[in-house]
Amino acid sequence: MTDSTAADVADAELVARARGGDHQAYAQLVRRHQRTALRVAYAICGSTTEAEDVAQEAFVKAYRALGTYRGDSAWRPWLLRVVANEAKNRVRADVRRRRTTLRHAGLAADPPADPGDLAVGRLTNEAVIRALANLPEVHREVLACRFVAGLSEAETAQVLEIAGGTVKSRQSRALARLRDVLEEELADG
């Protein structure tokens, strides 16, 4: 039995106990998957504060929805689907709020980027994070699942509720676009 299979079995047992009202079992699930949930939320939202809020809200929603978890797939992808959906909803709400604010202010364009972000002179993790933030949502999601959360293609397909082939094609396009964005940043820097 592999480590991931053992974790899946343990997760399934903890989920069953949590469904039966064992709050400590759910707390253990939260501790076990909190870091991955935060990474996925951060990759989609681009903000540590937002990611923390998203992960917390996702765990609450997952707890409330334990009855809808059928157990035909592993707990982790199911949970991360809840996290990804919550993060996407948060990003969409922020975009709507920004557009409304700009419209009311009479501005046609987004406010200028933070000068500190524009001053990065070399390729760093911050540059990659910024480049990710500039990718379309579908690209950010697949890269967040595959490389930030370390999910397999099959798990990514479950989390994003898309076909495995779609994961491969989106990943390929996302990596190509990420390369382009990073090259542009290096050329401008």
Side-chain angles (χ1 to χ4, degrees), residues 152-165:
S152 68
E153 286 178 3
E155 290 173 321
T156 300
Q158 287 178 337
V159 168
L160 299 178
E161 298 178 308
I162 58 177

Side-chain angles (χ1 to χ4, degrees), residues 132-148:
L132 278 170
N134 289 320
L135 294 179
E137 183 177 325
V138 295
H139 291 162
R140 270 195 325 272
E141 292 169 359
V142 77
L143 292 180
C145 289
R146 291 288 288 130
F147 301 110
V148 177

Side-chain angles (χ1 to χ4, degrees), residues 66-100:
L66 276 175
T68 66
Y69 173 64
R70 294 186 307 252
D72 53 355
S73 65
W75 164 258
R76 181 178 178 219
W78 184 86
L79 171 67
L80 295 177
R81 183 179 322 129
V82 174
V83 172
N85 286 339
E86 184 65 25
K88 289 187 290 188
N89 290 341
R90 182 73 58 103
V91 168
R92 286 183 194 123
D94 288 345
V95 168
R96 281 192 304 272
R97 194 173 17 262
R98 247 183 286 142
R99 284 182 185 154
T100 301

Side-chain angles (χ1 to χ4, degrees), residues 96-143:
R96 281 192 304 272
R97 194 173 17 262
R98 247 183 286 142
R99 284 182 185 154
T100 301
T101 301
L102 291 173
R103 200 171 27 250
H104 289 308
L107 302 174
D110 288 335
D114 182 85
D117 288 341
L118 300 174
V120 175
R122 60 189 173 138
L123 183 60
T124 63
N125 284 340
E126 292 173 4
V128 172
I129 290 168
R130 277 195 313 278
L132 278 170
N134 289 320
L135 294 179
E137 183 177 325
V138 295
H139 291 162
R140 270 195 325 272
E141 292 169 359
V142 77
L143 292 180

